[in-house]
């Protein structure tokens, strides 16, 4: 007790000592019935700039939960989260400022325009350099539910972060940033003194030194700390934090596995602290709070999300790695004061690098799938051999191959979520691994320590780190701090040629730079998968030939250890005699990671069904590795058991990416198929195509725009007794433009379609709009308009259909393509008029069709639909149709049922054979089912 009082007294004395540090004195009381926090706060602000200030800005992030129009509210919608948008006011939050004064004089203040979580205070007199001002604030915080951002009212208490008023940083102007749910508030360190009363049966933990006093019906906590920032308060009915003590620090955490022995856990934590200190230095604070919210919300769920009962990893591995990630995050971000909106990559890179080094030291042989990698049938796959540290370059390459990666200097609020949480972190960490191998581990470690020590608890930037690193090495690092950090250029070198000089017992090795970044490249001599020599080659801007000594190795390789992230490593190998490395064909079931030693062909079962072919079984052969190639093929031979015929399909395609253009990708290809469209009658399709996909304004945009152009050749088999007509053999030139904006609240898309054939030309548009008015209830509108510019075709095969089209382009997955009655005729696919009801005679239009389809949610997956249509055929008056009914939308586009109620022909329910009027949507497309499941899991 005496020790605690003495420690508190010493901190208090130093707290009130004259210094240039900002300080916060806070007295707060918690109203748990109304989820209100009443705050009295005194801010001592020091002007450390060279300018006189007439105003001061305070970050007031508690007010970011006020409504949907705040930067946070808009950001959550962009992140495809709609729970906050539809939340009740009682579940939201706000900050209500009652008074702001200085020297007992009121201060004028206002919210910054379009940033209601930032306050601008007009000073009564200018604040000169090195002067200070005391600002007193009286305000009330309404605490929101924690489900929105992880901070707020939890199930058993409160987890508070970014809750108090804090001055913005003045550094080349005011550095203002609104809360965007990225936990990146740029704030300076300050001295804190906090008094807080909470109910007696609750516990409090924080990242400050704390002293507890029990009262009759409550507990008082006195919290104090010097040169701290980002004060977190965890208030809970149960004491869920464990405390681990090391030589220099006390670590409080709620990331703990109760099945782990406490002695062992303490040993692991001490080992991790020693490991981190060895690389970057000692943490300046005694108290370190490692909370689960921090690590959970800023990383995607990965393989460590595997249920515990499966136990794929070594004992305690899952907890140990998760805790190390959280510990390094707090260890670095508590101490290095960088603007994380601009310089996030430096801290993220150091954290990822430390994780790779930790795994390499203690768990070098643990694979991504753990003990599952040893399962028979899977253990021979390259995917099963993927080590924990291999996943960093794998995920980077996964994104880079599709050109979805972004420069590391992209503002954090402009990064896609996948890049912010995974790819950019991995690229930054791989960059430091690259530097470690190129300049040496000792130099990199020395630079880390120097940067950490010299800039601890001081405002700094990545430019400061650059100067330190460059001063510690003679090697040029312009390539790293230039193209590697500032651009999304990809590294891709190729071993072009090897020439043997027998007279000199040496080799001339020619290396080609296939892309537009010049970076060091590692050259290896390999024998029996063992490294015999390694050297670095620099300044390969286009083609460079180097001389090496001939040796005992059977092949040469670039980037053999995959030290640096590379766009394509399949062209990195050559034999010393310059002979072509034979690549035998390797067949793999399902998919695998690409292997540079083989030409891989993947195969998987293919199951289809239609009424005329019956059950269709086959095998799909393709070259689509987990990371796709630009060129891909897919061939699917099938056997149809009912028609007893061979059927199938094929496609060949090449993706051409344009890096500096409004066009993102052009895909060229051909496809074709053969199946039956009627009993004992088959069809063949053949279609060359060009698909242009346009670039999004940014990777945070979720919309797509693309233009498809193709020629569809169709040859339909006919009965020997029938005469061939135009609908049996035809070709159609098709152009289609599609725009889609799938916003989480309002979704909008439209398609414009043009078809040119020998006997007709037609245009149509399909416009769809979806608006959610509660989290689970929505209104859906579809408009279709189609017109023939001219039409000399016979019959209605190419006409617009009210409730079903002929699908003459063979795009729809129909079980009974030619059926006009029976169960298979009741399958529904949205097309043309989009009506669900059957009429006594089929309804087609050979001149014009306009229709509107609407549906409104009434309860869970039950909806009411209403449709209207106008049809016009040549030499006929316009006809009008309407219908309504009930839609059971169990799984959209996968499992749906339509029950018509009322149409032009009256009430449908009391008519004969009503079950035959029910329409259904059932798909056998494994791709569609997989994509739906994937959206639900990610």
């Amino acid at each position: 007790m005496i020790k605690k009082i003495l420690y508190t007294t010493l901190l208090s004395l130093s707290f009130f000592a004259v210094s240039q540090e900002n300080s916060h004195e806070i007295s707060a009381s918690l109203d748990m019935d109304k989820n209100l926090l009443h705050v009295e706060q005194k801010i001592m602000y020091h002007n450390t700039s060279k300018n006189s200030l007439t105003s001061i800005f305070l970050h007031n992030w508690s007010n970011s939960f006020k409504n949907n129009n705040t930067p946070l509210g808009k950001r959550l919608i962009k992140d495809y989260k709609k729970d906050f948008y539809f939340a009740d006011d009682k579940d939201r939050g706000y900050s209500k400022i009652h008074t702001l004064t200085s020297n007992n004089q009121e201060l004028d203040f206002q919210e910054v325009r379009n940033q209601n979580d930032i306050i601008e205070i007009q000073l009564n007199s200018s604040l000169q350099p090195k002067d200070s001002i005391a600002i007193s604030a009286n305000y009330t915080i309404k605490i929101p539910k924690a489900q929105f951002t992880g901070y707020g009212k939890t199930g058993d208490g409160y987890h508070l972060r970014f809750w108090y008023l804090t001055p913005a940083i003045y550094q080349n102007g005011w550095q203002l940033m609104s809360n965007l749910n990225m936990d990146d508030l740029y704030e300076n360190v300050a001295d804190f003194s906090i008094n807080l009363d909470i109910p007696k049966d609750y516990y409090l933990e924080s990242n400050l030194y704390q002293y507890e006093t029990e009262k009759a019906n409550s507990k008082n906590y006195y919290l104090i700390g010097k040169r701290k920032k980002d004060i977190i308060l965890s208030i809970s009915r149960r004491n869920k934090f464990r405390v681990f003590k090391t030589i220099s620090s006390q670590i409080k955490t709620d990331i703990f596995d109760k099945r782990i022995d406490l002695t062992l856990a303490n040993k692991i934590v001490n080992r991790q602290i020693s490991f981190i200190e060895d690389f970057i230095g000692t943490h300046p604070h005694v108290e370190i709070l490692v909370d689960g919210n921090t690590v959970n919300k800023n990383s995607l769920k990965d393989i460590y999300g595997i249920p515990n009962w499966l136990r794929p990893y070594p004992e305690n591995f899952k907890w140990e790695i998760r805790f190390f990630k959280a510990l390094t995050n707090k260890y670095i971000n508590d101490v290095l004061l960088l603007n994380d909106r601009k310089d996030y990559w430096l801290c993220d890179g150091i954290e990822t690098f430390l994780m790779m080094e930790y795994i390499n030291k203690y768990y070098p042989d643990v694979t991504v799938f753990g003990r599952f990698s040893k399962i028979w049938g899977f253990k021979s796959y390259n995917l099963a051999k993927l080590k924990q540290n291999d996943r960093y370059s794998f995920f980077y390459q996964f994104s880079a191959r599709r050109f979805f990666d972004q420069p590391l200097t992209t503002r954090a609020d402009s990064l896609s979520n996948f890049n912010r949480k995974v790819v950019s972190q991995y690229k930054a960490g791989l960059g430091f691994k690259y530097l470690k191998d190129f300049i040496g581990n000792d130099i990199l470690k020395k630079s880390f320590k120097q940067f950490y020590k010299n800039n601890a608890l001081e405002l700094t930037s990545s430019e400061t780190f650059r100067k330190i690193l460059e001063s510690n090495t003679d090697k040029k690092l312009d390539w790293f701090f230039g193209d590697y950090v500032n651009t999304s250029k990809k590294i891709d070198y190729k071993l072009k040629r090897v020439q043997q000089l027998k007279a000199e017992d040496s080799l001339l090795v020619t290396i080609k730079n296939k892309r537009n970044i010049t970076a060091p490249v590692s050259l290896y001599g390999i024998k029996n998968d063992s490294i015999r020599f390694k050297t670095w080659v620099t300044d390969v801007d286009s083609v460079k030939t180097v001389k090496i000594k001939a040796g005992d190795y059977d092949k040469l390789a670039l980037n053999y250890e995959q030290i640096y992230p590379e766009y394509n490593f399949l062209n990195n190998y050559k034999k010393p005699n310059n002979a072509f490395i034979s690549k035998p064909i390797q067949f793999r079931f399902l998919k695998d990671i690409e292997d540079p030693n083989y030409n891989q062909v993947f195969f998987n079962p293919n199951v289809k069904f239609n009424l005329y072919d019956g059950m269709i079984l086959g095998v799909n052969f393709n070259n689509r590795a987990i990371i796709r190639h630009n060129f891909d093929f897919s061939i699917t031979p099938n056997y149809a058991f009912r028609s007893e015929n061979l059927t199938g399909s094929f496609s060949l395609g090449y993706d051409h990416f344009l890096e500096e253009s409004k066009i993102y990708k052009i895909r060229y290809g051909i496809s074709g198929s053969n199946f039956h469209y009627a009993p004992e009658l088959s069809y063949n399709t053949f279609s060359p195509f060009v698909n242009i996909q346009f670039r999004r304004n940014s990777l945070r945009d979720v919309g797509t725009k693309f233009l498809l152009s193709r020629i569809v050749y169709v040859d339909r088999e006919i009965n020997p007794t029938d005469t061939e007509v135009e609908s049996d053999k035809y070709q159609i030139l098709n152009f289609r433009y599609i725009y889609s904006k799938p916003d989480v609240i309002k979704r909008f898309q439209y398609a414009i379609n043009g078809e040119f054939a020998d006997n007709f030309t037609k245009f149509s548009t399909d416009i769809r709009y979806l608006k959610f008015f509660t989290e689970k209830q929505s209104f859906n509108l579809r408009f279709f308009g189609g017109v023939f510019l001219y039409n000399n075709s016979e019959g209605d095969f190419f006409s617009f259909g009210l409730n079903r089209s002929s699908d003459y382009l063979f795009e729809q997955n129909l079980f009974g393509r030619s059926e006009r009655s029976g169960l298979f005729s009741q399958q529904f696919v949205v097309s043309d008029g989009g009506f669900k009801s059957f009429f006594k005679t089929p309804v087609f239009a050979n001149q014009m069709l306009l229709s509107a389809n609407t549906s409104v949610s009434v309860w869970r997956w039950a909806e009411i639909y209403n449709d209207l249509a106008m049809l016009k055929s040549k030499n006929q008056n316009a006809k009008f149709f309407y219908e309504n009914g009930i839609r059971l939308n169990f799984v959209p586009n996968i499992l749906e049922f339509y029950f018509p109620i009322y149409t032009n022909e009256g009430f449908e329910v009391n008519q004969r054979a009503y079950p035959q009027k029910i329409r259904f949507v059932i798909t056998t497309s494994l791709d569609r089912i997989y994509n739906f499941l994937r959206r639900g899991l990610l």
Side-chain angles (χ1 to χ4, degrees):
M1 178 65 124
I2 295 175
K3 184 178 179 181
K4 286 184 177 180
I5 295 173
L6 180 62
Y7 184 60
T8 304
T9 303
L10 290 174
L11 282 175
S12 299
L13 289 174
S14 62
F15 179 83
F16 292 109
V18 177
S19 72
Q20 286 295 302
E21 299 289 352
N22 295 337
S23 65
H24 299 269
E25 293 181 58
I26 298 174
S27 178
S29 60
L30 180 63
D31 183 345
M32 301 192 75
D33 293 329
K34 298 180 180 179
N35 296 322
L36 295 176
L37 188 66
H38 302 285
V39 182
E40 294 276 354
Q41 180 177 358
K42 181 180 179 181
I43 303 170
M44 183 64 70
Y45 177 78
H46 294 269
N47 182 5
T48 57
S49 74
K50 297 179 180 180
N51 301 325
S52 61
L53 305 176
T54 58
S55 61
I56 293 176
F57 291 83
L58 301 180
H59 284 117
N60 181 27
W61 278 20
S62 292
N63 206 42
S64 60
F65 298 88
K66 186 176 182 179
N67 54 48
N68 293 329
N69 295 319
T70 66
L72 175 64
K74 295 176 181 178
R75 177 77 177 194
L76 291 173
I77 294 300
K78 293 291 185 182
D79 286 342
Y80 236 64
K81 299 175 181 178
K82 57 184 177 181
D83 53 351
F84 181 76
Y85 186 91
F86 292 113
D88 295 332
D89 287 341
K90 63 182 179 62
D91 295 328
R92 298 178 188 264
Y94 58 79
S95 174
K96 186 176 181 180
I97 309 295
H98 303 300
T99 60
L100 276 175
T101 62
S102 178
N103 295 326
N104 296 319
Q105 293 182 339
E106 288 195 8
L107 297 171
D108 291 332
F109 65 93
Q110 61 183 0
E111 294 177 356
V112 175
R113 184 177 181 183
N114 298 324
Q115 292 180 286
N116 70 322
D117 52 1
I118 303 175
I119 298 171
E120 181 181 9
I121 301 175
Q122 301 296 330
L123 300 180
N124 295 330
S125 60
S126 62
L127 183 66
Q128 300 301 314
K130 298 184 180 180
D131 282 352
S132 60
I133 183 173
I135 300 173
S136 297
N138 178 285
Y139 58 100
T140 300
I141 297 172
K142 168 66 170 61
I143 303 173
K145 273 193 171 182
Q147 72 181 70
F148 306 131
T149 64
Y151 308 122
K153 178 72 175 69
T154 63
D156 65 346
Y158 302 90
H159 193 80
L160 305 181
R161 190 178 183 191
F162 311 121
W163 54 278
Y164 52 89
L165 296 175
T166 185
I169 290 176
Y170 189 87
Q171 188 182 55
N172 298 321
W174 289 102
Q175 302 298 309
L176 306 180
M177 54 177 62
S178 288
N179 183 9
L180 299 180
N181 195 30
M182 297 193 299
D183 296 355
D184 59 350
L185 178 60
Y186 190 30
E187 61 176 318
N188 212 334
V189 293
D191 299 333
F192 283 88
S193 172
I194 301 176
N195 260 296
L196 177 64
D197 287 325
I198 64 173
K200 192 172 185 178
D201 54 344
Y202 280 79
Y203 298 88
L204 181 143
E205 285 293 353
S206 72
N207 52 337
L208 297 174
Y209 176 80
Q210 59 191 56
Y211 181 67
E212 175 188 336
T213 302
E214 294 223 6
K215 298 180 178 181
N217 298 314
S218 65
K219 291 179 184 176
N220 173 264
Y221 281 90
Y222 177 60
L223 313 175
I224 193 167
K226 282 191 65 63
R227 306 200 74 196
K228 290 270 192 171
K229 71 181 186 77
D230 191 13
I231 306 306
I232 298 174
L233 303 180
S234 178
I235 303 169
S236 176
R237 283 188 178 275
R238 55 193 176 89
N239 190 3
K240 58 185 178 182
F241 279 78
R242 294 292 178 94
V243 178
F244 296 101
K245 293 184 178 181
T246 69
I247 296 175
S248 59
S249 58
Q250 178 177 275
I251 300 168
K252 308 173 188 178
T253 182
D254 58 350
I255 305 176
F256 187 74
D257 190 333
K258 294 181 180 179
R259 296 170 300 176
I260 301 176
D261 178 73
L262 279 175
T263 303
L264 176 60
N266 194 70
K267 181 179 178 181
I268 292 173
V269 172
N270 274 267
R271 181 173 79 179
Q272 292 182 349
I273 286 290
S274 297
F275 183 89
I276 295 171
E277 289 179 347
D278 181 56
F279 269 92
I280 60 176
T282 306
H283 199 288
H285 295 309
V286 175
E287 302 87 5
I288 303 175
L289 184 74
V290 182
D291 60 305
N293 292 53
T294 299
V295 66
N296 288 337
K297 69 176 292 188
N298 289 307
S299 61
L300 294 181
K301 292 181 180 179
D302 55 13
I303 198 69
Y304 303 134
I306 291 177
N308 288 326
W309 59 270
L310 290 174
R311 303 177 68 83
Y313 302 115
E315 195 71 23
N316 305 327
F317 173 83
K318 180 179 173 181
W319 172 80
E320 182 175 347
I321 296 304
R322 184 167 177 257
F323 186 81
F324 184 81
K325 176 178 175 59
L327 180 61
T328 51
N329 176 274
K330 301 299 292 186
Y331 206 94
I332 293 172
N333 285 284
D334 281 355
V335 178
L336 295 178
L337 309 183
L338 295 99
N339 186 335
D340 283 338
R341 292 275 165 96
K342 300 177 180 178
D343 269 344
Y344 64 90
W345 71 268
L346 181 57
C347 291
D348 285 352
I350 296 173
E351 291 173 29
T352 304
F353 174 76
L354 289 178
M355 175 65 79
M356 288 190 285
E357 292 295 300
Y358 187 82
I359 289 176
N360 190 54
K361 182 174 182 178
Y362 295 108
Y363 298 100
D365 298 322
V366 176
T367 62
V368 170
F369 292 97
R371 64 184 180 90
F372 299 146
S373 296
K374 298 180 181 180
I375 295 176
W376 180 88
F378 180 52
K379 63 182 181 180
S380 62
Y381 279 65
N382 297 318
L383 190 62
K385 301 171 185 176
L386 197 69
K387 300 292 180 61
Q388 288 288 332
N389 276 346
D390 294 335
R391 62 194 172 99
Y392 297 100
S393 57
F394 174 79
F395 275 103
Y396 166 77
Q397 192 179 56
F398 181 86
S399 181
R401 283 279 189 93
R402 300 287 97 184
F403 292 85
F404 289 147
D405 58 318
Q406 295 171 276
L408 293 179
T409 50
T410 303
R411 282 182 57 91
D413 51 350
S414 296
L415 292 171
S416 69
N417 282 340
F418 188 62
N419 282 335
R420 183 172 67 87
K421 295 182 179 182
V422 178
V423 177
S424 292
Q425 293 183 20
Y426 288 5
K427 181 183 178 182
L430 288 167
F432 286 129
K433 179 184 176 184
Y434 198 174
L435 286 176
K436 169 194 168 184
D437 206 85
F438 181 60
I439 66 175
N441 184 49
D442 292 341
I443 293 176
L444 183 63
K445 186 183 292 188
K446 175 185 176 182
S447 300
F448 281 155
K449 286 186 174 181
Q450 190 175 340
F451 178 67
Y452 192 81
K453 179 181 179 181
N454 295 350
N455 296 277
L457 304 178
E458 301 289 345
L459 300 179
T460 186
S461 67
S462 59
E463 183 61 25
T464 303
F465 174 74
R466 174 180 182 169
K467 292 175 181 178
I468 291 173
L469 187 62
E470 289 181 332
S471 69
N472 289 330
T473 180
D474 295 329
K475 295 185 177 181
K476 293 182 179 180
L477 300 180
D478 292 347
W479 58 271
F480 179 80
F481 290 102
D483 285 342
Y484 189 90
V485 170
N486 290 308
T487 75
S488 57
K489 294 179 180 179
K490 283 80 173 162
I491 300 172
D492 187 12
Y493 289 98
K494 174 184 178 181
L495 267 181
K496 185 178 181 181
R497 184 173 58 254
V498 178
Q499 183 180 354
Q500 193 161 17
L501 301 176
K502 295 183 180 180
E504 301 181 24
D505 192 28
S506 59
L507 301 173
L508 292 179
V509 181
T510 300
I511 302 172
K512 181 179 180 180
N513 187 346
K514 296 192 66 179
R515 301 195 64 82
N516 55 355
I517 178 174
T518 302
V521 56
S522 53
L523 174 64
Y524 299 78
I526 308 297
K527 183 170 184 179
N528 298 327
D529 296 327
S530 176
I531 299 173
R532 295 305 174 94
F533 87 88
K534 172 185 176 182
T535 186
W536 283 96
V537 182
T538 58
D539 301 323
V540 187
D541 57 352
S542 57
V543 176
K544 185 173 184 177
T545 299
V546 296
K547 182 187 289 187
I548 62 172
K549 185 177 178 60
D552 183 24
Y553 39 82
D554 52 25
K555 63 182 175 182
L556 298 171
L558 301 177
N559 197 20
Y560 181 75
E561 298 173 281
Q562 295 192 35
I563 292 169
Y564 48 87
E566 194 166 8
Y567 179 76
N568 177 23
F569 62 87
L570 298 181
N571 52 14
N572 286 5
Y573 297 84
K574 278 283 186 183
K575 286 188 175 181
N577 59 8
N578 209 33
F580 176 74
I581 298 179
S582 175
K583 284 189 174 185
I585 295 178
Q586 180 189 67
F587 287 92
R588 280 277 193 248
F589 181 61
L590 297 178
K591 287 185 182 295
D592 197 5
I593 297 173
E594 54 194 3
D595 191 325
N597 299 307
Y598 294 94
N599 289 310
Q600 293 172 304
V601 176
F602 305 104
F603 65 95
N604 51 75
N606 183 265
V607 181
K608 292 182 180 293
F609 173 83
N610 69 56
L611 180 60
Y612 318 113
D613 287 310
M615 184 62 68
I616 305 170
L617 298 180
V619 180
N620 173 254
F621 297 94
N622 65 80
N623 70 332
R624 295 169 181 166
I626 293 176
I627 299 178
R628 295 278 293 269
H629 301 273
N630 284 9
F631 171 77
D632 64 72
F633 68 84
S634 175
I635 302 173
T636 311
N638 296 316
Y639 179 77
F641 284 86
R642 184 169 185 176
S643 63
E644 298 182 344
N645 282 311
L646 291 175
T647 63
S649 60
F650 77 93
S651 68
L652 303 173
Y654 178 80
D655 291 330
H656 177 204
F657 293 93
L658 291 86
E659 298 181 55
E660 302 294 335
S661 171
K662 291 185 178 180
I663 296 175
Y664 163 66
K665 179 181 70 174
I666 303 177
R667 180 171 176 81
Y668 312 90
I670 55 174
S671 64
S673 63
N674 171 265
F675 293 99
H676 284 73
Y677 72 94
E680 300 183 0
L681 297 177
S682 66
Y683 70 89
N684 294 292
T685 65
F686 179 79
S687 178
F689 63 86
V690 177
N691 189 356
I692 300 174
Q693 184 173 344
F694 296 93
R695 193 176 303 278
R696 291 176 282 176
N697 294 330
S698 76
L699 287 179
R700 288 194 56 80
D701 288 342
V702 293
T704 59
K705 295 183 288 186
F706 63 86
L707 175 65
L708 171 66
S709 58
R710 58 179 174 168
I711 302 177
V712 181
Y713 297 91
V714 178
D715 186 356
R716 301 200 309 164
E717 186 180 8
I718 62 174
N719 289 314
T721 57
D722 292 343
T723 302
E724 184 177 291
V725 296
E726 62 179 0
S727 59
D728 295 326
K729 195 171 185 179
Y730 52 90
Q731 60 188 43
I732 296 174
L733 174 61
N734 177 219
F735 294 98
R736 183 175 296 167
Y737 177 80
I738 297 177
Y739 170 91
S740 176
K741 188 72 172 177
D743 187 273
V744 69
I745 302 299
K746 294 182 289 186
R747 303 177 188 177
F748 177 72
Q749 68 180 60
Y750 66 86
I752 300 173
N753 191 70
E755 297 174 11
F756 303 85
D758 292 337
N759 294 325
F760 69 87
T761 296
K762 63 192 296 189
F763 284 89
S764 63
T765 183
D766 186 315
I767 303 173
R768 305 187 187 195
Y769 175 80
L770 172 65
K771 173 69 165 65
F772 283 91
F773 43 85
T774 68
E775 193 168 355
K776 295 183 179 180
Q777 293 182 309
S778 63
F779 168 76
N780 204 328
L781 168 67
R782 173 182 178 265
F783 172 79
F784 177 85
V787 61
F788 282 89
L789 296 188
Y790 80 90
N791 184 7
N792 295 327
S793 64
E794 298 179 359
D796 286 316
F797 186 75
F798 299 107
S799 297
F800 298 114
L802 181 65
N803 58 10
R804 184 169 179 170
S805 70
S806 301
D807 188 32
Y808 48 82
L809 294 178
F810 290 91
E811 298 176 301
Q812 301 170 2
N813 184 22
L814 297 172
F815 297 136
R817 185 172 296 276
S818 300
E819 299 304 293
R820 292 295 176 261
S821 62
L823 177 65
F824 290 98
S825 69
Q826 296 172 236
Q827 183 185 2
F828 177 70
V829 176
V830 178
S831 63
D832 291 359
F835 268 53
K836 295 82 184 174
S837 304
F838 289 107
F839 293 91
K840 293 179 180 178
T841 58
V843 182
F844 294 95
N846 59 24
Q847 189 172 0
M848 183 174 65
L849 186 151
L850 299 174
S851 70
N853 314 123
T854 66
S855 64
V856 180
S857 302
V858 291
W859 179 76
R860 296 181 65 181
W861 25 257
E863 303 173 8
I864 293 177
Y865 67 84
N866 290 273
D867 300 332
L868 295 170
M870 186 274 286
L871 293 84
K872 176 70 171 67
S873 290
K874 292 185 292 186
N875 304 319
Q876 294 183 17
N877 294 327
K879 297 180 180 180
F880 295 88
F881 292 84
Y882 55 86
E883 67 169 356
N884 58 46
I886 296 174
R887 176 192 185 191
L888 300 183
N889 186 13
F890 295 114
V891 185
N893 300 316
I894 294 176
L895 181 62
E896 304 175 13
F897 292 92
Y898 293 87
F899 298 84
I901 295 178
Y902 191 80
T903 68
N904 294 56
E905 298 177 351
F907 281 101
E908 297 286 340
V909 179
N910 58 8
Q911 295 185 19
R912 295 180 55 190
Y914 179 74
Q916 297 179 14
K917 297 178 179 292
I918 298 170
R919 306 292 292 275
F920 64 86
V921 174
I922 296 178
T923 185
T924 58
S925 171
L926 296 180
D927 286 342
R928 183 177 293 180
I929 296 172
Y930 167 74
N931 288 333
F932 174 80
L933 293 174
R934 184 181 63 176
R935 286 196 300 270
L937 292 174
L938 291 181

